[in-house]
Amino acid sequence: GEVAICTNRFELYTEYGLRMKARSKALQTFVIQLAGSGSYLATEEAEARGGYSAIVNSCQVGPLGGGVLVDETVKTINAMWDEHR
């Protein structure tokens, strides 16, 4: 069908999921987070503002890694859609 489900190990800030959904070729994209051991994945803005979920002690990966996660997830989803059209 027209649905994509993607998983990752992080507790994402909402912005990352919205980026994935906006760029996905699927009619609906579901982002499943905390699928495995993980930590918070803060955005650049959240990191700049601080807070318990955006400090180094709470995050294993920073905002640059979040961008890579979005890009690679979207690339994988969209490649599947290209194969089925």
Side-chain angles (χ1 to χ4, degrees):
E2 295 291 321
V3 175
I5 299 171
C6 57
T7 63
N8 67 81
R9 58 184 241 156
F10 300 101
E11 185 166 347
L12 300 175
Y13 273 57
T14 302
E15 183 178 325
Y16 291 117
L18 293 175
R19 289 182 199 172
M20 291 177 199
K21 291 177 179 190
R23 293 173 47 198
S24 172
K25 290 182 179 180
L27 183 62
Q28 269 191 302
T29 300
F30 295 92
V31 179
I32 309 300
Q33 51 186 327
L34 290 172
S37 62
S39 65
Y40 290 109
L41 184 49
T43 59
E44 190 173 340
E45 181 181 351
E47 188 176 70
R49 291 183 180 188
Y52 77 95
S53 61
I55 59 174
V56 173
N57 295 347
S58 300
C59 301
Q60 296 172 343
V61 175
L64 292 176
V68 171
L69 176 68
V70 170
D71 291 343
E72 291 299 314
T73 300
V74 171
K75 185 168 88 176
T76 301
I77 291 170
N78 290 344
M80 290 189 299
W81 251 250
D82 292 341
E83 290 175 9
H84 291 92
R85 296 203 184 250

